[in-house]
Amino acid sequence: MASRPDTDNFLSLFLNDTPLMDVRAPVEFTKGSFPGAENAPLMNDEERHRVGICYKEKGQDEAIRLGHQLVSGDIKAQRIEAWKRFVASHPEGYLFCFRGGLRSRLTQQWIRDAGIDYPLIKGGYKALRRFLIDSLDNLIESSEFRIISGRTGTGKTRVLQHLPNPVDLEGLANHRGSSFGRQVTPQPSQIDFENRLAVAMLKAHHLKGGPIYLEDESRLVGRCAIPDALRNQIAHAPLLIVEQTLEERTRIIREDYVEKMLADYAKRDGEAAGWLNFRDYLLGALDRISKRLGGERHNQLRNSMSQALEQQERSGDVHGHDAWFQSLLQDYYDPMYDYQLSQKQGEILVRGGPDTVIDWARNNTSA
């Protein structure tokens, strides 16, 4: 393998989805890393903890000595093999630790001793994270945004995917943004969400250009918080409003929240356990908004949902859910959306069905 230099070209790394080998401990990786990064640690959590204590009590030299004692023999050989597998799969990648210091350089040296030159990222995680924070702040301030709005069930996310320069906040957060929005797989950490958002914004700016389309979201998408500066932009940006009939909205909700979710749970957990977990997901989502619904309305909707679930389990017919969908839309979500729309300060650029909104966006690509 030809030798490649270490790099601090952070923009190129993210625009090109460069594979990244994160040699920090698993606990650090879990708190936040970057799109395309894989964790192949030099030290596990316990080893890192012990070395950290030694560093504080006895200094750097003793900490390094302890680290070499802890990561030696078969343990060292296993970690080098993991790094070699990553390098073989991703010859165009780079490695990094927290600051681009001891851990990444030691990893680089051990890989070199095994006959492979592999470059590192100068400044490590800390420099990459700082670059993304600064880039996101600048892009939020300087970009033009257009907001896809519409009542619940109009298929806003589906429309967004067909627009010229979309950034999918719900996709980045792995959550559909409502009480029923949880996905089968977990959400990213807040740091991971912010990093994903920054990378998506960099790509929108550098690879596509023009106005950036976002779906109208509240402050939280599940547990992921949208930066305040971006929320302010969303509140004031011009709107494209997607409109659908109640029947079509019901069909979309049935597909997304019943058919797809059951399939996802069954794929993850098996048919029997998947059904039980899907049932708990629907009932739990309704229960989370019980106070806002009020006791009587919550009980009515829960009874209707329970009957629909019994019918679905018995016969496979999912249309029994339509009654509680429509009641929840008309009595809860629609009034809430109509009020929120009345508070918007952005100009309405177009309103209509999905094709109308998509055609308008494609014909008005300049800022």
Side-chain angles (χ1 to χ4, degrees), residues 254-306:
R254 190 192 315 123
E255 288 180 358
D256 288 348
Y257 294 91
V258 175
E259 295 171 7
K260 184 180 184 302
M261 287 300 292
L262 177 57
D264 288 346
Y265 274 108
K267 181 178 180 180
R268 188 192 72 178
D269 304 326
E271 189 171 338
W275 167 259
L276 294 175
N277 289 330
F278 162 72
R279 184 179 183 278
D280 288 346
Y281 147 74
L282 271 189
L283 291 168
L286 185 65
D287 290 344
R288 279 192 292 276
I289 56 173
S290 60
K291 290 183 179 180
R292 283 177 275 171
L293 291 171
E296 183 178 352
R297 184 164 55 174
H298 171 255
N299 288 335
Q300 291 172 348
L301 288 168
R302 204 177 200 280
N303 289 335
S304 178
M305 181 187 286
S306 296

Side-chain angles (χ1 to χ4, degrees), residues 174-242:
N174 195 34
H175 197 282
R176 291 194 181 98
S178 70
S179 174
F180 292 84
R182 188 181 73 195
Q183 302 280 21
V184 171
T185 52
Q187 287 194 261
S189 69
Q190 179 64 26
I191 290 174
D192 276 330
F193 171 68
E194 292 170 2
N195 289 343
R196 292 179 183 185
L197 175 58
V199 172
M201 293 278 286
L202 284 169
K203 290 179 177 180
H205 177 76
H206 289 279
L207 302 182
K208 293 185 177 181
I212 296 174
Y213 289 86
L214 303 172
E215 190 173 338
D216 196 4
E217 301 289 350
S218 58
R219 186 180 70 86
L220 292 175
V221 185
R223 70 181 183 192
C224 295
I226 296 175
D228 289 341
L230 184 57
R231 278 291 304 137
N232 185 59
Q233 292 279 29
I234 290 173
H236 293 85
L239 302 167
L240 294 79
I241 300 178
V242 183

Side-chain angles (χ1 to χ4, degrees), residues 75-129:
I75 294 175
K76 177 180 177 180
Q78 290 168 6
R79 292 185 189 164
I80 292 173
E81 283 303 310
W83 299 334
K84 289 168 65 177
R85 286 194 296 271
F86 183 92
V87 171
S89 299
H90 307 291
E92 74 281 22
Y94 292 83
L95 67 88
F96 69 92
C97 64
F98 184 66
R99 292 189 179 88
L102 278 173
R103 283 185 287 178
S104 58
R105 295 195 180 280
L106 182 57
T107 301
Q108 191 179 49
Q109 182 60 54
W110 285 358
I111 295 174
R112 186 176 293 121
D113 292 343
I116 301 170
D117 280 320
Y118 204 63
L120 59 79
I121 296 171
K122 298 177 183 177
Y125 169 87
K126 191 172 183 180
L128 289 168
R129 172 73 171 151

